[in-house]
Amino acid sequence: MNIQPYKKSIWLSTTMALLTANLFAQSPSNIENKISVRWEVPTGKSLKKNPTSKLIIQNNDSQQLALKDWSLWFNFIRGIDAKSVDSRFKLSHRNGDLFQIEFAKSNLTLKPKDTIEINFTTLGGLINYTDGPIGLYISYDDKGTYADIKKYDAQKNTFTQEQQRTYLEQKFASNALLAKGKQQDILPLPEQITVDRTKSFKLTNTISISNDPEFNNETALFIQFLQEQTAVKGQKSPNREAQIKIVKETGFADEAYALNIDNKGIEIKASTATGVFYGLQSLKSLLPATDWNSKNKTLNFPYAQIKDQPRFPYRGFMLDVARNFHSKAEVLRILDAMAQYKLNKFHFHFIDDEGWRLEIPGLPELTEIGSVRSANYKDGNAIQPAYGSGASTKEKQYLSTQDYMDILKYAAARHIDVIPEIETPGHARAAIKSMEARYHKLKKAGDLKAAEEYVLHDPEDKSIYNSAQNWNDNVLNPALPSSYHFLSKVIDEIKKMHDQAGVPLKVIDLGGDETPAGAWEKSPKIEAFMKENNISSVHDVWPYYINRINELCHSKGLIMSGWEEMGMKNFGTGMDVNPALADHSINLNVWNNLIGGGQEDLAYRLANAGYKVVFTSAYNNYMDMTWDHNFAEPGHSWVGLVDINKTYSFAPENYYINLAKDNSGNDLPKDFAKNKVHLTEKGKANFLGVKAALWCEKINNDIRLEEMIFPRLLAVADRGWAPEQSWENGENFDSQTYQKGYAAFMQKLGNDELKKLDKLNKGYHYRIPAVGVKLENGKLVANTDYPGFKIYYTEDNTEPTLKSKEYKGAIPLNNKSTYKFRTITQNGGLGIVSTY
């Protein structure tokens, strides 16, 4: 679903001699404060296949450091080769992405200010600096104590000067295409719109707003917007002659509205509160960012006639707070941005191998154990460090029941449905370990019956497997009645939270993805279960489990959602569509469409078979993917690069129309789509919509979170709402028409909408555009990834700031100078530096 499988081995070699004398060796105390570590990769070489990189450990202290009493631990998301480990070192893979390096020779020391270099070969590739080791900490082996390393950094540039200049010129050419065409008026693009910017309706100081009573919430939110973002005040008025009239009128679809602006004022018509809400978002989008000003007492709206409704009923975003936790406050910020761009489904992924992030009454261990990551995990009171969490525990890395209910209410007021996800049967390690701790606690207290009530694993299971994230103990056992009892308990408690919040639960997601091969094959419980149920193959345990948990959901009045594997089965040659459950009311999130992987048409095959499908295209809409091949850009890379162009180019119902290269960047054959399945009329009826997803393995703070989401999420919103575009139709891709629409979208995005995100909720972090640079006639010219941003530059190899020169035109090249360009926002947001 989200990252490639790890490898189990590592190769290490030293590149500098280690001193063997241990005279004057220092005590290991405070080693974490006395060393620094840096990760480096080769410059100018391809890092796509088994590259060598190195960890450099430096002694910053004034005395020698003995290596015998401590070891180095770190998280590493890639595979490492262990066939030739230097005999002076011992490397162990513990589980997941956690590794330990021990200094096997007891007499090794490190002189003051000296360094050691530990080289290792990565199996696979390295795409950017976020592939490097993270979460480094020291273990004092003789004391059983741990501490985070205070000084660590990673190399962020791998270009030679020539490679850098080629890269910048390619970026310049791509950016230049965005300057052509007319700017889109509203984002997302309405179904029908006419705008006359030669005329406008003016609102000044205090404005009157009338609305039908059932639209009070939507009107109040709009008045709040005026109060927070402008100096114009909104005042409720019963008068039908109000300047803004919000009217209920029958005949509109659930999310549809009509918006009219002329010399008589502004009128929004809709049949539902949702339609009114979206009409008001369009009104805000029509208002230029320059009017989002707390000193502005006059608002000018262009004359407009809009009739609008979304293309798809499901326009979603999935946020993972399990791999790295993000707070309620941050979730509310994301919901505000979703609402502004008419996204209506929030898929909340708060449970995974690396963390359980929701308080469940009656099962306190889920958060007492499952939300706590610590180097002291071996005592069973925490789970192991993962994805950079480090040695030390952090406070309250979960949502309380009240937190969750607050999120539900906040989302509902903004017409967003929250769909909670409980990962099963794989990705369940945090739950398994939590319930294992519960078992031991209650057994020790003498209550064996209570201890066994929620057990999720078979202690006698000898199955050997390796999950996509390199876990060997993360799959719950479907032969245990306690597994279903556990799920029933958790679902009931979540359902209660929804009821108490006044937001009834309708759909619950039970995961179902990436259960690794080999799971259950050597479990005595599974063997007995198969005999009892006349199941001849362990492959048939899977559909049994899916049907069982689906029935559990139906018994509670819920629709079960899950990842694509829920609609699939291993028929002996790998996973394929399982028609047997197609009429069992299961909603599927289909992510696997990697170009060249053979499953490009999976979403269509499942929809055609009868499953309700949300196309969660990893290739286009996984927000955790890196933007481009600059080593300084963060993110994953296993589906290739995902810039905003790739996100906007997503054709949900005609996916192959503009595919030209496979996942590795190789050209596709011209008849690539010839034998691929297309959507039938039945399939179109089952096609619910689209969704973006953000997995947080590499995202451990809110700034990075927002920078990965924005601005790409706005392109997802546009593709989910806007009517089907002409370039999406047929068999031949009209690139000119596409480019015109893309440029219009990007101009609206860069010139207007991102400026609004600078102001909404005191400002969002988004990826600041990088700068393209080209040499023309002896002069340097520059442009940005998206329009509307100022470029600053220096000529002395220093980092540009707001005090540096602003780029306003071609710069004569001085071959003795080193030029650095970057975009900088007025809020201080910094783009990646482009060096020429």
Side-chain angles (χ1 to χ4, degrees):
M1 178 175 67
N2 42 358
I3 59 176
Q4 294 295 291
Y6 297 101
K7 305 295 181 182
K8 291 184 175 180
S9 56
I10 190 166
W11 172 66
L12 290 167
S13 65
T14 56
T15 58
M16 295 185 64
L18 291 172
L19 296 174
T20 57
N22 62 1
L23 295 175
F24 311 109
Q26 181 150 321
S27 164
S29 62
N30 296 315
I31 294 291
E32 69 280 0
N33 294 316
K34 298 172 181 177
I35 65 171
S36 59
V37 183
R38 176 174 169 80
W39 180 63
E40 291 187 355
V41 299
T43 297
K45 296 181 180 180
S46 173
L47 302 176
K48 291 183 178 180
K49 187 176 181 180
N50 303 338
T52 297
S53 61
K54 60 187 174 185
L55 283 171
I56 302 171
I57 304 174
Q58 178 168 330
N59 175 11
N60 299 319
D61 201 48
S62 60
Q63 300 184 48
Q64 289 188 142
L65 298 178
L67 282 71
K68 65 178 182 178
D69 296 325
W70 57 278
S71 59
L72 175 64
W73 296 66
F74 60 91
N75 299 119
F76 191 71
I77 207 164
R78 296 295 190 177
I80 307 175
D81 187 353
K83 293 178 182 177
S84 307
V85 177
D86 188 295
S87 63
R88 291 168 294 181
F89 300 93
K90 178 182 177 183
L91 183 125
S92 304
H93 170 243
R94 294 306 179 186
N95 210 344
D97 69 337
L98 185 62
F99 294 88
Q100 179 188 16
I101 297 176
E102 298 170 88
F103 304 99
K105 296 292 185 180
S106 62
N107 58 351
L108 296 177
T109 62
L110 186 60
K111 282 184 176 181
K113 311 305 178 183
D114 206 353
T115 62
I116 59 172
E117 296 181 1
I118 306 173
N119 290 268
F120 57 90
T121 298
T122 302
L123 295 178
L126 298 170
I127 191 69
N128 59 53
Y129 76 98
T130 61
D131 283 333
I134 53 176
L136 287 77
Y137 64 90
I138 292 295
S139 163
Y140 293 109
D141 304 314
D142 61 340
K143 299 180 180 179
T145 56
Y146 308 83
D148 294 311
I149 289 177
K150 301 299 188 293
K151 295 181 180 180
Y152 170 73
D153 69 345
Q155 180 178 331
K156 293 186 179 181
N157 178 49
T158 61
F159 287 136
T160 63
Q161 184 182 67
E162 183 179 353
Q163 289 172 333
Q164 174 78 1
R165 290 183 175 184
T166 299
Y167 164 78
L168 293 178
E169 289 181 1
Q170 291 172 344
K171 180 175 284 293
F172 181 91
S174 176
N175 293 346
L177 297 174
L178 302 178
K180 302 175 182 178
K182 181 183 176 183
Q183 180 172 305
Q184 186 171 313
D185 289 302
I186 289 176
L187 199 164
L189 186 69
E191 184 178 60
Q192 298 177 36
I193 179 170
T194 301
V195 175
D196 182 356
R197 293 195 175 274
T198 66
K199 300 176 182 178
S200 64
F201 179 73
K202 182 183 294 186
L203 295 174
T204 305
N205 295 322
T206 301
I207 61 175
S208 56
I209 305 174
S210 67
N211 65 273
D212 282 290
E214 60 192 88
F215 303 147
N216 283 339
N217 171 68
E218 290 66 37
T219 303
L221 286 173
F222 184 71
I223 291 174
Q224 180 182 340
F225 156 75
L226 292 173
Q227 179 180 348
E228 292 176 352
Q229 301 299 337
T230 75
V232 174
K233 296 181 180 179
Q235 180 176 288
K236 291 286 293 293
S237 170
N239 188 347
R240 283 292 180 178
E241 298 303 317
Q243 293 164 298
I244 299 178
K245 294 185 281 292
I246 302 173
V247 180
K248 181 173 183 178
E249 186 171 293
T250 60
F252 287 90
D254 285 346
E255 297 182 293
Y257 68 92
L259 169 61
N260 188 75
I261 305 173
D262 57 22
N263 62 344
K264 297 179 181 179
I266 299 170
E267 184 176 59
I268 295 174
K269 294 180 180 179
S271 299
T272 67
T274 305
V276 165
F277 184 76
Y278 292 145
L280 288 167
Q281 303 318 303
S282 289
L283 189 62
K284 288 160 61 178
S285 189
L286 272 176
L287 193 68
T290 51
D291 282 359
W292 286 41
N293 186 325
S294 60
K295 297 180 181 179
N296 183 29
K297 297 183 178 180
T298 301
L299 305 180
N300 289 288
F301 290 93
Y303 283 15
Q305 294 82 43
I306 300 168
K307 291 184 178 180
D308 197 13
Q309 61 182 353
R311 177 180 179 180
F312 297 117
Y314 193 117
R315 307 173 304 283
F317 174 61
M318 189 223 76
L319 177 63
D320 161 27
V321 298
R323 268 59 181 276
N324 277 303
F325 182 65
H326 298 276
S327 68
K328 180 185 82 170
E330 183 60 25
V331 171
L332 298 185
R333 282 172 59 84
I334 300 305
L335 290 171
D336 273 332
M338 287 179 63
Q340 183 154 308
Y341 297 103
K342 306 183 178 116
L343 293 164
N344 67 342
K345 307 292 182 183
F346 181 56
H347 177 166
F348 205 1
H349 186 96
F350 44 67
I351 295 161
D352 215 297
D353 295 319
E354 301 82 7
W356 183 289
R357 309 298 187 181
L358 178 64
E359 179 185 14
I360 300 295
L363 296 176
E365 298 84 1
L366 287 171
T367 46
E368 290 174 354
I369 308 297
S371 76
V372 179
R373 299 202 291 233
S374 168
N376 283 316
Y377 65 94
K378 291 179 182 179
D379 64 9
N381 293 320
I383 56 177
Q384 72 176 57
Y387 301 129
S389 57
S392 305
T393 61
K394 298 179 177 64
E395 292 186 8
K396 195 180 178 291
Q397 297 290 286
Y398 66 90
L399 299 167
S400 68
T401 57
Q402 187 61 53
D403 289 335
Y404 185 63
M405 289 189 289
D406 290 344
I407 288 169
L408 294 177
K409 294 174 184 177
Y410 200 84
R414 288 151 182 79
H415 301 275
I416 297 172
D417 296 327
V418 176
I419 301 171
E421 180 179 0
I422 308 168
E423 273 278 24
T424 71
H427 287 284
R429 190 176 189 273
I432 291 169
K433 292 298 179 183
S434 298
M435 293 301 96
E436 185 178 358
R438 180 183 186 276
Y439 169 83
H440 290 304
K441 179 179 66 176
L442 293 175
K443 182 182 178 182
K444 185 177 181 180
D447 193 345
L448 185 60
K449 182 179 179 181
E452 294 177 340
E453 187 176 5
Y454 296 112
V455 170
L456 301 177
H457 73 292
D458 175 5
E460 299 177 358
D461 188 355
K462 304 301 181 184
S463 300
I464 299 174
Y465 60 84
N466 193 52
S467 79
Q469 286 74 33
N470 213 19
W471 298 107
N472 58 24
D473 55 357
N474 75 331
V475 183
L476 64 78
N477 196 305
L480 301 175
S482 51
S483 291
Y484 304 99
H485 183 47
F486 170 81
L487 282 176
S488 182
K489 166 68 172 175
V490 172
I491 293 171
D492 284 345
E493 294 299 335
I494 292 176
K495 194 168 183 288
K496 286 179 185 177
M497 294 181 215
H498 279 255
D499 289 340
Q500 291 173 17
V503 186
L505 181 63
K506 299 176 183 177
V507 179
I508 191 164
D509 195 293
L510 295 188
D513 62 308
E514 292 186 333
T515 299
W520 309 328
E521 290 183 354
K522 295 182 180 180
S523 164
K525 298 290 187 184
I526 289 289
E527 184 178 355
F529 168 80
M530 290 172 62
K531 289 180 180 179
E532 181 181 345
N533 290 277
N534 296 317
I535 296 176
S536 59
S537 169
V538 72
H539 296 320
D540 291 319
V541 174
W542 176 257
Y544 172 92
Y545 176 76
I546 298 304
N547 189 53
R548 178 84 178 267
I549 61 175
N550 189 41
E551 290 177 345
L552 177 66
C553 291
H554 287 176
S555 72
K556 300 176 185 297
L558 303 174
I559 294 173
M560 183 179 76
S561 173
W563 296 98
E564 62 210 34
E565 290 96 326
M566 282 192 172
M568 303 176 76
K569 175 186 172 182
N570 191 330
F571 292 91
T573 57
M575 297 290 279
D576 204 348
V577 174
N578 180 15
L581 298 180
D583 61 351
H584 284 47
S585 300
I586 301 173
N587 294 356
L588 300 179
N589 305 300
V590 184
W591 64 268
N592 188 358
N593 62 341
L594 308 189
I595 313 306
Q599 299 283 22
E600 299 89 348
D601 56 2
L602 180 58
Y604 299 162
R605 288 188 281 126
L606 288 163
N608 292 348
Y611 292 98
K612 299 294 184 183
V613 164
V614 178
F615 204 167
T616 313
S617 170
Y619 185 73
N620 305 89
N621 294 342
Y622 266 25
M623 306 282 98
D624 47 300
M625 294 297 137
T626 189
W627 189 281
D628 71 9
H629 59 277
N630 187 334
F631 206 72
E633 291 272 7
H636 289 308
S637 61
W638 56 268
V639 298
L641 309 177
V642 180
D643 61 11
I644 198 167
N645 190 4
K646 186 179 283 188
T647 302
Y648 185 84
S649 70
F650 179 40
E653 295 175 288
N654 193 12
Y655 180 55
Y656 327 111
I657 183 69
N658 54 8
L659 299 181
K661 295 182 181 295
D662 67 17
N663 197 47
S664 299
N666 302 312
D667 290 337
L668 293 171
K670 292 183 179 179
D671 61 350
F672 165 74
K674 181 178 180 181
N675 296 320
K676 297 297 179 183
V677 172
H678 290 70
L679 273 178
T680 62
E681 289 305 312
K682 177 183 178 181
K684 288 184 178 181
N686 290 321
F687 197 87
L688 298 180
V690 299
K691 178 159 54 187
L694 184 80
W695 303 102
C696 285
E697 296 96 339
K698 294 185 174 185
I699 303 170
N700 60 7
N701 61 74
D702 293 342
I703 293 175
R704 171 75 61 79
L705 176 84
E706 293 181 5
E707 287 176 344
M708 298 303 285
I709 294 171
F710 305 112
R712 290 180 289 195
L713 190 61
L714 277 64
V716 178
D718 200 81
R719 304 306 300 125
W721 182 282
E724 186 177 42
Q725 302 298 291
S726 61
W727 57 263
E728 296 181 67
N729 296 319
E731 299 180 3
N732 298 313
F733 179 52
D734 183 347
S735 60
Q736 289 185 338
T737 300
Y738 168 80
Q739 189 60 45
K740 181 179 179 181
Y742 177 55
F745 166 82
M746 290 298 288
Q747 288 180 46
K748 175 66 170 172
L749 175 89
N751 292 326
D752 201 31
E753 294 304 320
L754 292 182
K755 305 298 188 296
K756 294 173 183 176
L757 286 182
D758 283 334
K759 300 173 182 180
L760 182 66
N761 285 336
K762 297 183 179 179
Y764 285 77
H765 298 276
Y766 49 83
R767 179 190 177 273
I768 309 298
V771 180
V773 184
K774 182 181 180 181
L775 181 62
E776 288 184 347
N777 301 319
K779 296 181 178 181
L780 294 178
V781 290
N783 60 15
T784 56
D785 286 342
Y786 20 102
F789 288 80
K790 292 181 179 180
I791 301 172
Y792 296 85
Y793 72 98
T794 60
E795 302 170 277
D796 58 359
N797 202 29
T798 59
E799 302 286 287
T801 68
L802 284 172
K803 295 181 180 179
S804 302
K805 294 179 182 178
E806 181 182 344
Y807 172 81
K808 295 185 177 181
I811 305 168
L813 176 66
N814 182 341
N815 288 321
K816 294 181 180 181
S817 297
T818 298
Y819 298 84
K820 290 193 173 185
F821 300 82
R822 81 181 334 165
T823 49
I824 307 176
T825 70
Q826 292 305 307
N827 288 357
L830 302 174
I832 289 174
V833 174
S834 295
T835 303
Y836 194 95

